[in-house]
Amino acid sequence: NLYSLCKKIDSCDYPPVPSEHYSDALRDLVSQCIIANPDKRPTATYVHSVAKTMIKSRWFEKDNVVRISKIALQIVLHPYSI
């Protein structure tokens, strides 16, 4: 329900990103982006930079990095819209 979702977002109660599917670097980036205090989150420029590095080093398929980057940017720019 909507109330439960809002409570989870407010308390930063998120399941961990699965380590069997995603790199430590990406999992670390997602963790940084979902910090409760928006002032402590990385900038959109930083998130974009990390995504570009992942694409260049082929840590992930390009589509996954783009999808995760968009989610991370949305969290950074609009923390309560997810």
Side-chain angles (χ1 to χ4, degrees):
N1 72 36
L2 185 57
Y3 177 76
S4 295
L5 176 62
C6 290
K7 292 297 282 180
K8 283 183 174 229
I9 292 170
D10 189 47
S11 66
C12 290
D13 182 17
Y14 304 104
V17 176
S19 60
E20 62 271 8
H21 298 291
Y22 301 101
S23 70
D24 290 342
L26 182 62
R27 293 172 56 228
D28 182 54
L29 178 63
V30 171
S31 294
Q32 291 176 43
C33 290
I34 60 176
I35 292 173
N37 182 346
D39 295 332
K40 295 188 178 191
R41 293 182 197 141
T43 64
T45 301
Y46 175 78
V47 172
H48 183 252
S49 167
V50 170
K52 284 186 355 184
T53 301
M54 287 180 183
I55 291 169
K56 287 179 184 174
S57 67
R58 298 192 183 274
W59 286 352
F60 272 87
E61 293 295 319
K62 183 177 179 181
D63 291 342
N64 286 339
V65 173
V66 170
R67 184 170 40 91
I68 295 297
S69 295
K70 287 179 181 177
I71 293 168
L73 284 170
Q74 188 173 6
I75 291 169
V76 169
L77 298 175
H78 305 285
Y80 298 106
S81 65
I82 299 291

